[in-house]
Amino acid sequence: QVQLVESGGGLVQAGRSLRLTCAASGRSFSSYTMGWFRQAPGKERILVASVNWSGSSTAYADSVKGRFTISRDNAKNTVFLQMNSLKPEDTAVYYCAQNRVAFQWPRREYAYWGQGTQVTVSS
């Protein structure tokens, strides 16, 4: 049973930084692509960033390129999202996700999500 637990959200001022952490358990973490999604009130959940199983490849939504960095520590079954130069429009609940199929990239089929962590950016 896959479990994903996010932490690190909070309230910050525009221009500041936050680092989100997701701790995973239940499967061989190092075999699966991981991602971060976000969902703002009244909007669809969108994929923000992805990292393949080894950490050698990443992908980002255009809205966060150059500001957000996804990384992973396979020894600690953890994935991170470093968010810099935050904007009010980054306000959302952020979800960690794990791909359904092992060793799949660039195609991604996310099948497991955490409970989410709230990020609020004030202007």
Side-chain angles (χ1 to χ4, degrees):
Q1 180 179 357
V2 175
Q3 287 193 318
L4 304 171
V5 180
E6 303 95 335
S7 60
L11 171 64
V12 294
Q13 289 185 326
R16 303 298 292 269
S17 299
L18 274 179
R19 189 193 198 202
L20 304 183
T21 299
C22 172
S25 62
R27 298 199 293 182
S28 177
F29 179 76
S30 60
S31 300
Y32 295 92
T33 289
M34 298 294 295
W36 286 96
F37 287 73
R38 72 184 182 189
Q39 187 168 21
K43 296 188 177 181
E44 293 184 352
R45 188 176 299 189
I46 63 168
L47 178 60
V48 172
S50 297
V51 59
N52 74 341
W53 59 91
S54 66
S56 61
S57 295
T58 57
Y60 297 93
D62 287 344
S63 58
V64 306
K65 278 182 183 176
R67 299 188 299 122
F68 290 12
T69 302
I70 188 171
S71 61
R72 65 191 297 158
D73 184 342
N74 285 343
K76 296 183 178 180
N77 291 356
T78 304
V79 62
F80 307 99
L81 185 67
Q82 178 67 42
M83 306 185 294
N84 299 331
S85 302
L86 283 161
K87 304 175 181 180
E89 51 264 43
D90 294 319
T91 295
V93 178
Y94 283 73
Y95 299 90
C96 174
Q98 188 175 80
N99 206 60
R100 184 179 63 85
V101 178
F103 306 114
Q104 186 179 46
W105 184 274
R107 179 184 172 125
R108 285 148 279 169
E109 301 174 51
Y110 291 105
Y112 304 95
W113 281 267
Q115 82 288 350
T117 185
Q118 176 71 46
V119 172
T120 303
V121 184
S122 63
S123 58

